[in-house]
Amino acid sequence: MPSPPRINPMPDSDRLPHALYRAEQVRNLDRCAIERHGIPGIELMNRAGEVAYRALRKRWPDARDLTVLVGVGNNGGDGYVIARLARAEGLSVRLLQLGDPQRITGDAALSRAGWRDAGGTIEPYRGLPRRSDVLVDAVFGTGLERPVEGLWAEAIQALDSQRAPVLAVDIPSGLHADTGQVMGVAVRADLTVSFIGLKQGLFIGAGPEYCGEIRFSALAVPAMVYSSEVASARRIDWDQQSGRFGRRPRTAHKGTFGHLLVIGGAPGMSGAVRLAGEAAFRAGAGSVTIATHPAHAAWLNLSRPELMVSAVETSADLAPLMARADVVAIGPGLGREAWGRDLAEHVLGLDRPMVVDADALNLLAEAPRSGPDWVLTPHPGEAARLLGTGVAAIEQDRPAAVHALQGRYGGVVVLKGAGTLIGSEPLRPLAVCSDGNPGMATAGSGDVLTGIIGALRAQGLDAEDAACAGVCLHAAAGDRAARTGERGLVAGDIVAALRPVANRVPAGREES
């Protein structure tokens, strides 16, 4: 089995890096910088505080009144640095201490002493002031492993109830650094400034909801530090993935870009296969055939005549269609009645490049098997059925769910949701898509994704590359469609945005 790929942990200019880490790994990186490369811990703390403070000033240049809420660990130490720098520039700063100050040790204690030496005062937390221009959350760092309770929870709830914007230091307090799970309560930040290594929990689970804008600094640690850890995940986006697609050759014909067969569309659910088929064309497939129920086959392509449509009564009718297809996508609108079951039982037993979605996944859960060359695209409910558990268990640890799904069913797994995750083999870091928006939580969006991934497979990408590129193209098209508003966005809007996004057409220059 090949070694895991190395991912560049350093950002390009102001862009976020692609390497993501678990909390323990970031602590190891921090330790490596201190012990092997001789950077004092207090120096790293001072750098972190300065980076966070400069980010605060850039985001809120008119701020004059800060409230800094600190805990008893190194995250609180960063907060003391921010308070000291703000006071030195003439800002009004109130610093509120949560927890027993006798527990503050090491570099955090040095930072606390520096704040006091500069004339700063420390108040025990008894509530937030009525007015602040910016609130700074420096309560918990990456080590939180249990639900937040008591006065700590009250403080976080108070932060969330204020109108003033919030800067979170390294990670919003109450958010699990590995899973993105809210540990009872968590700070809803407007800006999160993270250090040394990006935590994977910022981008998965509830992370995107609680982090706001994310900024990153490696704190000028040597690049060699990162050779000590293999990233646990990699952040992907369309800017990165679009590089897979170059200019189309002038000698191309429709066969150059593959033939996708989409199977689904039980009575009353014809729209799902139609969306998948049209999305496949907009993602560049050369030919698309839809195999669907006879009840609506005759009119399914009336407004999209490019789609070839075949009525299939039973799985026996699929043979000539399968013979012409390069890739099969099954599931959109398939249903779980006799018609859909017959098709799924036949197709899921084949060794073909395949995308499996929707009710095909639900039927797979009833008769589990492993497939070497398929892409499974479950949402959390389907993932729960595939693993015989509940949705809450899936959302509690989405990375673990992807690993479990891939181990049981093989192939490539795409776990949809905020921060869609893609997993292939055990030693490869998970991929996490950082594009997308809540407007995409609409009926048919998953069917569009199925068509996109199928189209990219038909154009020659392997299963993992097609999944990663397809998820990012889908998300970027959703972001483009949402420029006129997330509320009311429908799956057809995503399809309409695919062509300009795939061709990098500037906004405002789309054809009707």
Side-chain angles (χ1 to χ4, degrees):
M1 191 172 290
S3 298
R6 288 288 180 184
I7 307 164
N8 181 11
M10 308 299 288
D12 300 322
S13 63
D14 288 334
R15 295 179 61 190
L16 292 176
H18 291 104
L20 305 178
Y21 299 92
R22 296 187 304 275
E24 181 182 5
Q25 291 181 295
V26 178
R27 288 192 288 272
N28 290 341
L29 293 172
D30 190 79
R31 190 179 304 113
C32 179
I34 294 169
E35 296 177 359
R36 296 187 192 175
H37 296 274
I39 305 174
I42 188 61
E43 172 62 21
L44 291 177
M45 188 170 286
N46 285 331
R47 292 179 190 179
E50 181 164 0
V51 165
Y53 178 64
R54 295 305 166 200
L56 184 156
R57 298 298 288 154
K58 183 176 181 179
R59 178 73 180 268
W60 300 287
D62 297 329
R64 293 292 177 268
D65 238 285
L66 300 188
T67 298
V68 183
L69 192 60
V70 300
V72 295
N74 282 347
N75 199 251
D78 298 339
Y80 281 111
V81 176
I82 294 169
R84 176 168 52 81
L85 294 172
R87 188 174 186 277
E89 287 195 354
L91 277 68
S92 173
V93 182
R94 286 189 70 178
L95 190 140
L96 308 180
Q97 176 73 61
L98 265 167
D100 182 359
Q102 298 299 317
R103 293 172 53 198
I104 303 174
T105 60
D107 297 322
L110 292 176
S111 184
R112 185 171 188 263
W115 163 248
R116 280 185 153 173
D117 290 346
T121 59
I122 302 170
E123 305 173 45
Y125 173 78
R126 296 190 180 91
L128 295 176
R130 288 185 174 223
R131 182 186 178 280
S132 294
D133 293 330
V134 180
L135 300 162
V136 176
D137 161 32
V139 179
F140 295 124
T142 60
L144 186 66
E145 291 292 340
R146 61 185 181 184
V148 182
E149 299 175 337
L151 188 62
W152 305 87
E154 291 177 20
I156 289 175
Q157 290 167 340
L159 280 171
D160 288 344
S161 67
Q162 293 288 311
R163 291 186 177 181
V166 177
L167 165 71
V169 178
D170 204 27
I171 187 170
S173 293
L175 190 71
H176 195 283
D178 294 351
T179 67
Q181 180 189 5
V182 173
M183 305 299 284
V185 293
V187 170
R188 290 182 180 271
D190 297 275
L191 174 65
T192 297
V193 184
S194 195
F195 315 115
I196 302 289
L198 279 176
K199 293 76 189 167
Q200 66 181 34
L202 301 177
F203 297 92
I204 59 179
E209 175 72 14
Y210 282 77
C211 291
E213 179 190 355
I214 298 173
R215 304 287 294 173
F216 171 77
S217 174
L219 303 185
V221 303
M224 288 181 62
V225 166
Y226 295 93
S227 65
S228 64
E229 291 289 336
V230 175
S232 60
R234 55 195 172 101
R235 187 184 65 83
I236 58 175
D237 55 28
W238 181 240
D239 281 345
Q240 174 206 50
Q241 293 292 313
S242 62
R244 298 184 184 280
F245 306 97
R247 184 181 66 84
R248 288 190 156 192
R250 306 302 296 175
T251 55
H253 52 84
K254 66 181 181 182
T256 306
F257 307 116
H259 186 166
L260 175 66
L261 174 63
V262 183
I263 302 171
M269 295 187 284
S270 61
V273 282
R274 166 61 191 271
L275 283 167
E278 188 165 351
F281 265 135
R282 292 305 190 185
S287 301
V288 180
T289 296
I290 293 178
T292 193
H293 197 278
H296 49 251
W299 51 261
L300 188 64
N301 64 346
L302 285 180
S303 60
R304 181 55 67 198
E306 299 90 346
L307 292 168
M308 296 179 285
V309 180
S310 292
V312 293
E313 291 275 6
T314 70
S315 58
D317 298 329
L318 291 174
L321 305 177
M322 300 283 284
R324 297 198 303 269
D326 298 302
V327 178
V328 176
I330 182 168
L334 186 69
R336 286 185 258 183
E337 302 304 320
W339 179 81
R341 286 180 179 277
D342 173 45
L343 300 185
E345 287 171 6
H346 174 71
V347 174
L348 294 178
L350 300 176
D351 185 7
R352 297 286 301 269
M354 196 181 305
V355 184
V356 185
D357 186 32
D359 278 324
L361 292 170
N362 294 323
L363 294 170
L364 178 62
E366 295 178 11
R369 67 183 78 187
S370 181
D373 197 21
W374 59 22
V375 178
L376 309 182
T377 61
H379 58 54
E382 292 157 349
R385 287 187 280 277
L386 287 163
L387 292 176
T389 186
V391 173
I394 299 296
E395 295 290 57
Q396 184 174 1
D397 194 338
R398 286 168 59 85
V402 172
H403 286 304
L405 287 164
Q406 201 281 327
R408 182 175 299 186
Y409 294 95
V412 174
V413 174
V414 175
L415 180 57
K416 295 181 288 195
T420 291
L421 288 166
I422 302 104
S424 54
E425 55 191 59
L427 288 182
R428 285 185 66 80
L430 296 177
V432 183
C433 178
S434 56
D435 291 335
N437 66 84
M440 299 174 71
T442 184
S445 180
D447 304 315
V448 172
L449 178 61
T450 295
I452 295 170
I453 295 175
L456 298 184
R457 286 236 62 191
Q459 291 170 77
L461 272 65
D462 67 25
E464 182 181 18
D465 288 345
C468 290
V471 165
C472 291
L473 173 56
H474 179 251
D479 286 342
R480 188 174 184 124
R483 287 177 179 175
T484 52
E486 294 175 357
R487 186 173 288 107
L489 189 152
V490 297
D493 298 330
I494 303 173
V495 174
L498 284 171
R499 187 181 176 201
V501 169
N503 289 282
R504 303 185 189 181
V505 175
R509 292 180 56 188
E510 300 93 332
E511 295 180 6
S512 61

